[in-house]
Amino acid sequence: MAASKNYILVINPIAGDVDKSEIISAVSDFAEQHSSKIIKYETTGDAEDQTKILELYKQSNPERVLVAGGDGTIKMVAEALEGIDSVIGIIPAGSANGLSVDLGIPTEMAEILQTAFFGEIINVDIVCINNKRSLHLSDIGLNAELIRNYENGTIRGKLGYALQAINTLTDSEVPFTASVTANGQTITSESKMLVVANSQKYGTGVTINPQGVLDDGLFEIIIIKNLDLIVFGKIIAGNMPIDTGDVEIISASQATITTDVPVHFQVDGEYCGEVTELNVKMISGSLKIAVP
């Protein structure tokens, strides 16, 4: 009889404000059906999570690391295992699941598990911003402010995001001036929001970067110069207003971004404070993820 294979299951118990017990049961049942063993780890939000996940990986030598959480949890696990030849299987369970949307991860649990355990493996690029790793979408300005307000709010899930989106759009600060140096030239523009994107969509399904490809060795910088309700409506509806002068997109593998005032900054859904400079570079093909 073949020896059972190990799989680590990293669970973020508070991601998305949903009960994870059904997910844990489904994963455990699936593993049992395939003569595999699940080693569970629940995140605490402390800095020690990464160290403990790495130790667990070395002890158990798993086939794959399954992550039940959102974009922030996937990023944390990817950072913990950086430099190790590991494969991540995504089980979307966060308030922001943009990476899983971009990768075409299924929405039905049976298909999610089939992909996480046995799906094809692709190599995904990682963007390094001020020494922070970004798998997905990071930005400065309006959305980062929204995330800060969401984290400080009391209502979780999509309703919480919707309420904070309305408040943030209504109360947002004046535009900032950003200078982007990339590909041998500098572009300076007034902006409400500036996105550094490795992929296409936010967790809400909104496409912010139509040019995004997760494994092309390039990231995009999307400068949103105007974000009134009309432009916001177009973006939400999936019609990025590239031809109106409201939005400009730059593809690069390295860039420096500076702002005239401190601006709110977020990485993959995690608020990171205020910044006046971002140093951005691409780390090509450094993460293995299971896809359908």
Side-chain angles (χ1 to χ4, degrees), residues 213-277:
V213 180
L214 281 160
D215 57 358
D216 64 351
L218 297 170
F219 55 81
E220 278 72 43
I221 298 170
I222 299 100
I223 305 169
I224 301 176
K225 302 172 183 179
N226 175 29
L227 198 57
D228 60 22
L229 285 173
I230 294 170
V231 174
F232 184 69
K234 286 180 179 177
I235 293 172
I236 292 292
N239 303 311
M240 275 294 283
I242 298 166
D243 53 355
T244 63
D246 291 314
V247 173
E248 185 165 354
I249 300 179
I250 302 160
S251 288
S253 60
Q254 195 158 348
T256 302
I257 300 161
T258 58
T259 62
D260 62 331
V261 292
V263 185
H264 298 292
F265 171 45
Q266 69 90 15
V267 175
D268 289 356
E270 178 190 352
Y271 182 71
C272 298
E274 292 185 312
V275 294
T276 55
E277 183 172 344

Side-chain angles (χ1 to χ4, degrees), residues 2-289:
S4 68
K5 294 178 178 179
N6 291 335
Y7 289 81
I8 291 174
L9 172 62
V10 177
I11 310 126
N12 182 340
I14 63 167
D17 200 28
V18 293
D19 182 14
K20 304 301 185 305
S21 57
E22 286 184 17
I23 292 173
I24 294 168
S25 295
V27 173
S28 300
D29 291 347
F30 189 92
E32 196 174 318
Q33 289 164 22
H34 293 86
S35 303
S36 298
K37 180 184 176 187
I38 292 296
I39 300 157
K40 295 192 285 287
Y41 178 81
E42 280 203 8
T43 63
T44 61
D46 296 335
E48 289 180 0
D49 279 335
Q50 292 191 354
T51 306
K52 288 178 178 175
I53 288 167
L54 180 58
E55 285 172 1
L56 199 57
Y57 189 94
K58 289 176 177 176
Q59 287 165 12
S60 56
N61 190 27
E63 294 292 306
R64 296 183 175 185
V65 179
L66 314 178
V67 182
D71 293 332
T73 313
I74 297 165
K75 180 175 83 81
M76 184 272 292
V77 173
E79 287 176 344
L81 300 176
E82 190 170 349
I84 287 179
D85 188 21
S86 57
V87 178
I88 288 177
I90 298 174
I91 301 171
S95 50
N97 301 302
L99 188 61
S100 68
V101 171
D102 268 332
L103 290 168
I105 303 298
T107 53
E108 296 296 324
M109 184 54 73
E111 294 174 23
I112 289 170
L113 295 176
Q114 184 66 34
T115 301
F117 277 79
F118 304 118
E120 182 186 328
I121 298 166
I122 63 166
N123 286 19
V124 171
D125 300 329
I126 296 177
V127 185
C128 181
I129 310 172
N130 289 7
N131 291 320
K132 294 180 184 292
R133 302 299 190 259
S134 174
L135 307 183
H136 184 231
L137 291 163
S138 301
D139 50 57
I140 55 174
L142 203 61
N143 186 60
E145 189 181 345
L146 190 163
I147 286 172
R148 181 200 62 168
N149 293 344
Y150 174 79
E151 286 182 0
N152 291 337
T154 54
I155 300 171
R156 288 285 168 263
K158 288 184 178 176
L159 175 61
Y161 265 120
L163 292 172
Q164 293 302 344
I166 294 164
N167 292 341
T168 307
L169 265 175
T170 307
D171 302 336
S172 71
E173 296 161 8
V174 294
F176 54 90
T177 299
S179 293
V180 179
T181 301
N183 305 321
Q185 61 177 344
T186 299
I187 294 171
T188 299
S189 174
E190 198 171 76
S191 178
K192 278 271 191 170
M193 176 172 156
L194 189 149
V195 185
V196 178
N198 191 25
S199 58
Q200 293 192 2
K201 295 174 184 173
Y202 280 108
T204 53
V206 172
T207 298
I208 197 73
N209 177 26
Q211 299 174 17
V213 180
L214 281 160
D215 57 358
D216 64 351
L218 297 170
F219 55 81
E220 278 72 43
I221 298 170
I222 299 100
I223 305 169
I224 301 176
K225 302 172 183 179
N226 175 29
L227 198 57
D228 60 22
L229 285 173
I230 294 170
V231 174
F232 184 69
K234 286 180 179 177
I235 293 172
I236 292 292
N239 303 311
M240 275 294 283
I242 298 166
D243 53 355
T244 63
D246 291 314
V247 173
E248 185 165 354
I249 300 179
I250 302 160
S251 288
S253 60
Q254 195 158 348
T256 302
I257 300 161
T258 58
T259 62
D260 62 331
V261 292
V263 185
H264 298 292
F265 171 45
Q266 69 90 15
V267 175
D268 289 356
E270 178 190 352
Y271 182 71
C272 298
E274 292 185 312
V275 294
T276 55
E277 183 172 344
L278 298 178
N279 292 296
V280 191
K281 64 180 179 181
M282 180 59 85
I283 309 170
S284 294
S286 54
L287 177 65
K288 291 181 177 178
I289 295 184

